[in-house]
Amino acid sequence: MRRTVRFTLNGERVEAQVAPHETLVEVLRDAFGLYGARESCGQGLCGCCTIVVDGTAVSGCLYLATLADGANVQTVEEGSELDAVQEAFIERAAFQCGFCTPGFVLMTRQLLAEHPDPSEEEIRHYLSGNLCRCATYPEIIEAVQLAARKRR
Ligand code: FES
Ligand code: FES
C-alpha cells in the first residue's frame, strides 16, 4: 500500500505517493525527474546514488523513501548556478562518462564543510566510498584541492 511522504526537496516542499519498498533514489528519479543520483551497485558500495538527507550523505539505493518524511533532502540539482566544487570538477576534467560525478560532488561538499583544507590522504579516505569506473581519480583529487582553494 502506498503512503504519502512529504519532505523538502532542494528547498521546496513536495510530496509523493510511495510504496514501502521504494528507495529514495527511485522516487527522486521516477516521481520528480531528478536524474543526478543514479543507482549502480544497489548495495551501498559505489556512491553513485548519493543524496543528502538532513545534512548527511546517504546511499539513496538503500534509503527507503518513507524515511524521508519530514526531512530536508538535497540533490546535485539544487541551485541554479554551479558552485566551487562543480566548477573545479569541470576545470580539472575530473570525469569521463560522468556517471559517478554527482555523488563525488555531493561528497566533496561534505568533505570541505568538515575539512576546509584537506590533505590528499584525507581526500582519498573521505571519498573512498565513491567509485569511478573511468578511473579519473587523479583528476578528482586535483578537483577537490582546487575546490578547497576556491572556497577560501
Ligand atoms: S547504487 Fe547506491 S551505493 Fe551504489
Ligand atoms: S567518470 Fe565514468 S564512472 Fe566516473
Side-chain angles (χ1 to χ4, degrees):
M1 191 167 98
R2 301 176 85 80
R3 58 168 285 198
T4 303
V5 175
R6 297 180 179 86
F7 54 98
T8 301
L9 176 56
N10 294 335
E12 290 187 19
R13 296 286 297 162
V14 298
E15 68 176 51
Q17 301 293 316
V18 306
H21 65 274
E22 281 186 294
T23 63
L24 189 53
V25 69
E26 289 174 327
V27 170
L28 293 183
R29 295 174 65 88
D30 296 343
F32 297 101
L34 296 178
Y35 300 111
R38 294 87 188 259
E39 182 162 341
S40 182
C41 71
Q43 299 179 6
L45 299 173
C46 74
C48 289
C49 61
T50 300
I51 298 162
V52 177
V53 179
D54 289 334
T56 300
V58 302
S59 294
C61 68
L62 300 180
Y63 195 98
L64 292 176
T66 53
L67 297 176
D69 196 34
N72 182 29
V73 177
Q74 295 168 279
T75 71
V76 76
E77 288 91 350
E78 184 176 32
S80 56
E81 295 181 1
L82 299 180
D83 74 345
V85 175
Q86 291 166 311
E87 286 177 359
F89 270 68
I90 292 169
E91 288 174 31
R92 286 293 179 268
F95 48 81
Q96 287 188 40
C97 74
F99 197 85
C100 67
T101 309
F104 271 104
V105 166
L106 291 177
M107 285 304 290
T108 299
R109 288 178 185 164
Q110 297 248 306
L111 163 64
L112 297 180
E114 293 176 26
H115 305 281
D117 186 19
S119 65
E120 182 173 334
E121 188 178 354
E122 286 174 321
I123 295 170
R124 290 182 182 277
H125 178 71
Y126 204 98
L127 299 181
S128 60
N130 291 72
L131 304 182
C132 174
R133 286 177 171 77
C134 300
T136 56
Y137 295 111
E139 291 82 3
I140 289 170
I141 301 283
E142 285 182 21
V144 176
Q145 292 167 331
L146 175 59
R149 291 196 297 275
K150 281 174 175 280
R151 288 164 53 111
R152 272 178 219 143

